[in-house]
């Protein structure tokens, strides 16, 4: 069903009981708790005293994480580190959201409303300076072990799952989700199959607890052999910024180019060419935003690359030479308005940082496979969930 403005509301499909049970898991059978007349009111978990960071080689420090936490994503509300993930396994799994304050870690109360919400791990997270939270959880279930997405919203005081029908983010047409933004407008970015041979960028916005999707945004439209694919999203005070690639196919060749798109209202979009003039393929894989600008991480040919995007211009940053593997590289970015950090990601330990975008220093991370970066009060955090010390930090990454 199409809502006013072109937004699509997933149809609710009624299936036979035998089919439903055949595709059910323990989470399915746990039931939808939205009808409960007296939902449990979450209470804040007291702060957990945090041991002092443990020194690591190269000037990094290992950050102690509470209990069984498996961190998946890190971000900041502008003054504090926020960590999303999960704890436990199987039927004992549960989502977790924590804030690192001056007195240690504090759990943000989470209220699941579905069986999958109860066992999800928070894998996408955005927090506005106001404290507004938008998150996506993921759990695996059903006979086909398909990803079961759950949507969450609230503030750093309390976050609640907002149940969606399965086809909102999942199902046979789903192409994957690239990320979320919480302000200036709540946004989910991903891709969706619009035909048997076409995967198109998709934009979701929240309307009274429902996430509505559209795939007809002009800025993303297929333009005669040019296919767009979003990879990440973040936001300044006034704009949502999406980055990704465009694959350009001709009769004789195929190449990729790094691109950004930005909007104030999810209706009118601007397209920004990041690697204009490059004679080799390029890609944009991540971004981080301060109040008025964003830093985009990516690659051009076999080199780690980054761009600064503000309201006036796109400027390629002159990073030290760091080799990456084209098409495979997944560089990561952190930016708070002044301090910039760019990690090569994947199997590389390379990371470069700068206080002004002109003078750079190399500070290799203790372990490879960095999946997320964040800067909080000029302290740089790097997350490598598969590492022996998943969360590490240093306070001199942007020392002048």
């Amino acid at each position: 069903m199409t809502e006013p403005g072109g937004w699509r509301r997933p149809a609710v499909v009624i299936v036979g009981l035998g089919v439903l049970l055949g595709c059910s898991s323990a989470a399915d059978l746990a039931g939808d708790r939205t009808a409960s007349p007296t939902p449990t009111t979450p209470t804040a978990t007291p702060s957990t005293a945090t041991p002092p960071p443990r020194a690591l080689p190269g000037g990094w420090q290992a950050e102690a994480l509470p209990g069984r936490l498996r961190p998946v994503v890190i971000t900041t509300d502008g003054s504090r580190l926020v960590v999303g993930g999960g704890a436990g396994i199987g039927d004992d799994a549960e989502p977790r959201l924590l804030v690192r304050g001056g007195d240690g870690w504090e759990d943000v109360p989470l209220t699941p409303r579905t069986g999958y919400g109860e066992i999800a791990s928070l894998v996408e997270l955005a927090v506005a300076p106001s404290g507004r939270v938008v998150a996506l959880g993921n759990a695996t279930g059903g006979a086909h072990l398909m990803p079961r997405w759950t949507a969450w919203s609230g503030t750093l005081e309390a976050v609640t799952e907002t149940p969606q029908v399965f086809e909102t983010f999942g199902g046979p047409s789903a192409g994957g989700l690239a990320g979320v933004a919480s302000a200036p407008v709540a946004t989910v970015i991903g891709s969706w199959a619009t035909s048997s041979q076409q995967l198109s960028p998709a934009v979701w916005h929240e309307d009274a607890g429902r996430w509505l999707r559209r795939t007809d945004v002009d800025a993303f439209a297929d333009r005669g052999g040019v296919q767009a694919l979003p990879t990440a999203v973040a936001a300044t005070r006034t704009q949502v910024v999406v980055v990704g690639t465009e694959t350009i196919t001709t009769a004789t060749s195929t190449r990729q180019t790094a691109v950004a798109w930005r909007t104030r209202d999810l209706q009118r979009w601007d397209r920004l060419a990041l690697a204009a003039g490059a004679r080799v393929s390029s890609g944009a894989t991540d971004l981080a935003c301060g109040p008025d600008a964003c830093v985009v991480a990516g690659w051009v040919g076999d080199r780690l690359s980054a761009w600064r995007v503000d309201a006036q211009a796109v400027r390629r940053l002159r990073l030290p030479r760091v080799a990456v593997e084209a098409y495979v590289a997944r560089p990561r970015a952190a930016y708070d308005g002044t301090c910039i950090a760019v990690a090569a990601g994947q199997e590389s330990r390379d990371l470069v940082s700068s206080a002004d975008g002109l003078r750079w220093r190399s500070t290799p991370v203790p372990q490879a496979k960095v999946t997320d970066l964040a800067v909080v009060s000029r302290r740089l955090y790097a997350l490598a969930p598969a590492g022996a010390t998943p969360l590490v930090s240093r306070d001199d990454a942007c020392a002048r």
Side-chain angles (χ1 to χ4, degrees):
M1 180 179 296
T2 302
E3 299 282 326
W7 299 97
R8 294 193 62 82
R9 176 165 59 88
V12 177
V13 180
I14 301 176
V15 297
L17 180 61
V19 175
L20 177 62
L21 293 179
C23 293
S24 295
S25 69
D28 294 304
L29 300 178
D32 185 341
R33 302 182 346 193
T34 55
S36 172
T38 56
T40 301
T41 300
T43 57
T45 301
S47 296
T48 301
T50 304
R54 176 169 53 87
L56 297 172
W60 290 88
Q61 296 179 316
E63 296 287 340
L65 293 167
R68 305 174 300 162
L69 176 67
R70 297 189 312 277
V72 179
V73 58
I74 60 175
T75 188
T76 173
D77 66 352
S79 61
R80 297 174 295 175
L81 183 70
V82 185
V83 179
I89 59 175
D91 291 341
D92 293 328
E94 62 178 355
R96 297 285 297 276
L97 181 64
L98 294 101
V99 177
R100 173 73 176 272
D103 296 327
W105 293 101
E106 182 174 321
D107 272 283
V108 176
L110 301 176
T111 301
R113 298 292 192 185
T114 66
Y116 283 113
E118 292 180 343
I119 63 172
S121 181
L122 300 185
V123 297
E124 300 289 351
L125 174 65
V127 184
S130 65
R132 183 185 186 188
V133 174
V134 173
L136 294 176
N138 198 359
T140 300
H144 304 291
L145 298 180
M146 297 184 69
R148 306 293 175 137
W149 291 100
T150 53
W152 303 74
S153 61
T155 71
L156 289 178
E157 298 300 320
V159 173
T160 301
E161 182 190 1
T162 55
Q164 312 293 315
V165 298
F166 176 60
E167 293 80 8
T168 300
F169 301 118
S173 296
L177 299 178
V180 299
S182 57
V185 55
T187 311
V188 174
I189 298 292
S191 55
W192 200 263
T194 50
S195 73
S196 60
Q197 298 179 329
Q198 180 73 34
L199 193 65
S200 299
V203 180
W204 288 259
H205 91 288
E206 190 177 21
D207 180 14
R210 298 181 307 163
W211 283 94
L212 306 180
R213 180 188 68 250
R214 67 182 306 172
T215 55
D216 60 349
V217 176
D218 288 344
F220 296 133
D222 183 10
R223 304 188 312 278
V226 179
Q227 173 67 55
L229 179 66
T231 56
V233 57
T236 66
R237 280 183 298 202
T238 60
Q239 292 188 321
V240 174
V241 183
V242 179
V243 299
T245 61
E246 288 182 342
T247 300
I248 304 164
T249 302
T250 67
T252 59
S253 67
T254 299
R255 66 182 181 89
Q256 287 186 359
T257 185
V259 184
W261 303 267
R262 62 188 178 190
T263 179
R264 293 178 180 270
D265 55 10
L266 303 187
Q267 299 291 340
R268 297 173 293 277
W269 293 77
D270 296 323
R271 176 187 174 277
L272 306 172
L274 298 178
R279 297 182 179 181
V280 294
S281 284
S282 58
T285 56
D286 192 28
L287 80 162
C289 297
D292 302 307
C294 300
V295 168
V296 181
W299 52 273
V300 175
D302 62 355
R303 295 188 61 170
L304 179 68
S305 299
W307 299 265
R308 185 182 185 277
V309 178
D310 60 25
Q312 287 74 43
V314 175
R315 176 170 63 91
R316 185 174 175 182
L317 301 174
R318 295 184 177 274
L319 304 186
R321 183 174 183 86
V322 175
V324 298
E325 186 175 355
Y327 302 101
V328 176
R330 294 292 181 270
R332 300 299 173 191
Y335 179 57
D336 65 354
T338 55
C339 180
I340 303 171
V342 182
Q346 296 293 93
E347 301 299 328
S348 174
R349 294 176 53 234
D350 287 310
L351 182 147
V352 295
S353 58
S354 173
D356 57 11
L358 300 174
R359 296 171 293 243
W360 297 86
R361 61 181 300 182
S362 176
T363 52
V365 291
Q367 52 210 359
K369 298 184 179 179
V370 169
T371 60
D372 225 343
L373 299 174
V375 177
V376 183
S377 300
R378 300 187 70 80
R379 188 172 192 90
L380 173 64
Y381 293 86
L383 179 68
T389 53
L391 184 63
V392 298
S393 70
R394 64 186 307 142
D395 61 7
D396 62 349
C398 287
R400 293 184 180 271

